[in-house]
């Protein structure tokens, strides 16, 4: 399966276009006021048509209520909902029932104990996203630019596809993909010049490095087979 590359936290026409032209498979928009990447609904309506089927549109929310989700869906018609809070298995099931959209649930990882909840989430989510568990005093659950020990995901066996996030950048994406064998990678702060400010050149470099890592991994796999 091809490696899915997602650029998250986009907020300008210029950087969204850079991600699309460089070949991003998914583009993410953040709807969470404490984040420097938070997008207001009028801006989402402005950016959404630019995607025009060129990539999957992902709406990231954190413990959003039904009214908030409804407003986001009306504004941008996402292809995927990314739930980055403390949403329970029951809540995910309810969101899917109400809105009829696929869901990707983010799982914060620091130790192997954080993977204990996987079976429940894997049973209802369409995708899983492994991110670094934020510090206790953090004001947001992701986009902090911190990696976790990727070896925790070695030999992971799941019936749903999973993606990797947390501190990824062009310089470490090769190791991240080779260690975890993730089906996708998700970057935000790793392609920013400052918090919330995406850099078009860094976006292009990341996607180029991710494609190189994908090619390298395919070569290793083919050699083993």
């Amino acid at each position: 399966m091809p490696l899915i590359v997602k650029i998250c936290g986009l907020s300008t026409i210029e950087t969204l276009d850079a991600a699309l032209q460089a070949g991003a498979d998914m583009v993410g928009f953040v709807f969470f006021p404490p984040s420097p990447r938070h997008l207001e609904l009028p801006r989402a309506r402005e950016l959404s048509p630019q995607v025009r089927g060129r990539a999957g549109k992902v709406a990231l929310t954190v413990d959003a209520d039904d009214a908030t989700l409804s407003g986001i869906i009306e504004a941008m018609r996402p292809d995927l909902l990314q739930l980055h809070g403390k949403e329970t298995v029951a809540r995910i099931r309810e969101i899917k029932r109400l809105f009829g959209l696929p869901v990707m649930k983010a799982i914060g990882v620091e130790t192997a104990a954080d993977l204990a909840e996987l079976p429940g989430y894997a049973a209802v989510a369409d995708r899983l996203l492994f991110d670094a568990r934020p510090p206790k005093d953090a004001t947001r659950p992701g986009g902090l630019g911190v990696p976790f020990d990727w070896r925790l995901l070695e030999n992971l066996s799941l019936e749903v596809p999973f993606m990797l996030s947390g501190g990824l950048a062009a310089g470490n994406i090769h190791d991240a993909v080779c260690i975890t064998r993730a089906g996708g990678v998700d970057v935000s702060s790793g392609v920013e010049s400052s918090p919330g400010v995406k850099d078009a050149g860094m976006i292009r470099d990341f996607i180029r490095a991710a494609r190189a890592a994908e090619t390298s991994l395919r070569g290793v796999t083919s050699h083993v087979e």
Side-chain angles (χ1 to χ4, degrees), residues 71-132:
I72 292 167
I73 291 168
E74 187 278 328
M76 67 169 291
R77 304 296 176 188
D79 300 297
L80 180 69
L81 295 175
Q82 179 175 331
L83 307 182
H84 221 100
K86 297 180 180 179
E87 297 89 359
T88 64
V89 169
R91 176 59 176 155
I92 294 173
R93 188 179 291 113
E94 178 72 357
I95 288 172
K96 293 184 66 173
R97 185 187 69 81
L98 288 173
F99 300 106
L101 287 171
V103 167
M104 177 163 66
K105 178 68 180 85
I107 308 291
V109 180
E110 182 178 6
T111 69
D114 294 316
L115 303 179
E117 58 190 343
L118 286 185
Y121 283 121
V124 295
D126 299 277
R127 290 180 179 275
L128 296 175
L129 173 72
F130 295 105
D131 197 357

Side-chain angles (χ1 to χ4, degrees), residues 6 16 22 32 60 65 67 94 100 134 139 154 157 175 185 191 220:
K6 175 173 173 280
L16 174 57
F32 185 55
L60 185 158
D65 59 23
E94 178 72 357
T139 58
E154 281 186 305
S157 178
D175 288 346
V185 291
V191 291
V220 170

Side-chain angles (χ1 to χ4, degrees), residues 10-183:
L10 293 158
S11 60
T12 69
I13 291 176
E14 293 75 19
T15 53
L16 174 57
D17 192 55
L20 293 169
Q21 287 194 10
D25 301 292
M26 294 182 178
V27 288
F29 304 93
V30 175
F31 300 91
F32 185 55
S35 171
R37 304 164 188 94
H38 173 63
L39 206 62
E40 298 290 347
L41 294 186
R43 186 62 168 159
R45 289 191 183 92
E46 180 182 354
L47 293 175
S48 184
Q50 187 177 353
V51 182
R52 291 190 302 275
R54 298 160 68 188
K57 288 187 288 187
V58 182
L60 185 158
T61 64
V62 180
D63 299 314
D65 59 23
D66 292 348
T68 299
L69 288 171
S70 181
I72 292 167
I73 291 168
E74 187 278 328
M76 67 169 291
R77 304 296 176 188
D79 300 297
L80 180 69
L81 295 175
Q82 179 175 331
L83 307 182
H84 221 100
K86 297 180 180 179
E87 297 89 359
T88 64
V89 169
R91 176 59 176 155
I92 294 173
R93 188 179 291 113
E94 178 72 357
I95 288 172
K96 293 184 66 173
R97 185 187 69 81
L98 288 173
F99 300 106
L101 287 171
V103 167
M104 177 163 66
K105 178 68 180 85
I107 308 291
V109 180
E110 182 178 6
T111 69
D114 294 316
L115 303 179
E117 58 190 343
L118 286 185
Y121 283 121
V124 295
D126 299 277
R127 290 180 179 275
L128 296 175
L129 173 72
F130 295 105
D131 197 357
R133 179 177 289 280
K136 291 183 179 180
D137 60 349
T139 58
R140 59 184 192 274
L144 302 173
V146 179
F148 62 94
D149 184 356
W150 300 320
R151 291 172 297 179
L152 292 170
L153 303 184
E154 281 186 305
N155 303 314
L156 187 66
S157 178
L158 289 173
E159 294 185 2
V160 295
F162 71 91
M163 300 181 71
L164 180 68
S165 187
L168 297 180
N172 66 11
I173 189 65
H174 181 275
D175 288 346
V177 171
C178 289
I179 290 171
T180 65
R181 305 298 175 100

